[in-house]
Amino acid sequence: MSVEKGQNVLIKDNVEIGQNVRIGNNVIIYEGSRIGDNVVIQDNVVIGKMPARAKNSILPEVGELPPTIIGSGCTIGTSSIIYANATIGNDVFVADLATIRERVTIGERTIVGRGVAVENDCTIGVKCKLETNCYITAYSTLEDNVFIAPCVVTTNDNYMARSAERLGKFKGITVKKGGRIGANSTILPGKVIHEDGAVGAGSLVTKDVEQEELVIGSPAKKLRNVPESQLLKNQ
């Protein structure tokens, strides 16, 4: 294997690393992680971290998880953390300070921007773009070619951490193929943005967005259909 390593790199047991991999300084790669060919791992990255659980967490105790898999051609930015049982497809770009939690799958050629948080149990499709400081809540699904602008907030708890009624009812958002969400928007739990649906900047989405519909406002309401020239099929 052809690996270029910086200083203070810790690689635990049974890690598989492909050809032409560059690893920066102060990197930790935990047991069993698999790294493809032509990967760049920048300074202070942690790969394969096991999740910790707060004593008062309502989530179940997490045992040993399968290892992290990072495909070929990926770049993992400075100070990013990728948890155990995350699977990163080929040619994914993860910018500085991003967090990708356990049981997350990210499709090939997706961009995960600076400071983005992708929480546990999310599925992200191919060729998506998650821009700076957006927050993808747990149990969400983003299909292919989805665009999430900076500082978007998604949510999964209608009860805001009060009452036992919420237990078992957590539900993230779904953004279908080609869906887009503008900057500083908030999407409430369980809402679906259908194919080529678009949410204008600063909107509060309280109900599903239909296919090829453009919504704006708080609460968001339909403004018009997405222009034909903006549809994914015409790009």
Side-chain angles (χ1 to χ4, degrees):
M1 92 183 152
S2 171
V3 180
E4 176 186 326
K5 293 191 293 186
Q7 297 181 332
N8 301 318
V9 173
L10 176 61
I11 299 176
K12 295 292 192 83
D13 295 337
N14 301 316
V15 172
E16 298 179 16
I17 300 179
Q19 298 294 317
N20 302 314
V21 173
R22 289 191 288 133
I23 301 175
N25 303 305
N26 307 312
V27 170
I28 301 174
I29 304 177
Y30 281 98
E31 287 89 351
S33 297
R34 290 161 47 192
I35 313 294
D37 299 332
N38 304 308
V39 171
V40 176
I41 301 170
Q42 297 179 348
D43 298 340
N44 303 311
V45 167
V46 179
I47 293 173
K49 180 182 186 297
M50 290 293 295
R53 179 180 177 274
K55 290 182 179 179
N56 62 345
S57 175
I58 65 167
L59 298 177
E61 192 73 47
V62 176
E64 281 297 310
L65 292 174
T68 302
I69 300 173
I70 295 178
S72 296
C74 293
T75 295
I76 311 299
T78 298
S79 299
S80 292
I81 303 174
I82 301 178
Y83 280 66
N85 204 12
T87 300
I88 312 298
N90 294 337
D91 299 315
V92 168
F93 183 90
V94 178
D96 301 344
L97 301 167
T99 302
I100 298 171
R101 289 291 301 270
E102 66 274 13
R103 297 182 299 275
V104 167
T105 299
I106 296 182
E108 63 183 25
R109 297 176 65 188
T110 282
I111 297 172
V112 179
R114 179 182 176 90
V116 168
V118 181
E119 295 285 16
N120 54 281
D121 300 279
C122 287
T123 299
I124 312 293
V126 304
K127 296 174 70 174
C128 294
K129 188 172 185 182
L130 314 182
E131 295 207 325
T132 299
N133 290 332
C134 69
Y135 176 79
I136 309 302
T137 193
Y139 314 113
S140 291
T141 298
L142 311 184
E143 295 186 355
D144 299 342
N145 297 100
V146 164
F147 174 86
I148 310 292
C151 301
V152 166
V153 175
T154 63
T155 61
N156 65 14
D157 182 5
N158 274 315
Y159 300 90
M160 295 191 292
R162 296 282 173 86
S163 83
E165 187 179 358
R166 79 190 197 280
L167 303 179
K169 292 186 177 180
F170 293 110
K171 190 172 184 180
I173 73 158
T174 299
V175 184
K176 298 286 190 176
K177 185 176 180 180
R180 295 177 292 170
I181 303 176
N184 290 302
S185 294
T186 299
I187 317 299
L188 293 191
K191 298 303 173 278
V192 178
I193 297 168
H194 288 275
E195 289 84 353
D196 263 321
V199 177
S203 296
L204 172 63
V205 175
T206 61
K207 61 181 182 179
D208 293 352
V209 177
E210 298 304 321
Q211 183 172 345
E212 300 178 10
E213 186 175 80
L214 170 62
V215 302
I216 63 169
S218 180
K221 297 180 181 179
K222 181 178 180 180
L223 176 66
R224 59 175 182 265
N225 287 335
V226 173
E228 190 75 16
S229 63
Q230 286 285 308
L231 297 179
L232 187 61
K233 66 185 180 183
N234 294 323
Q235 303 311 303

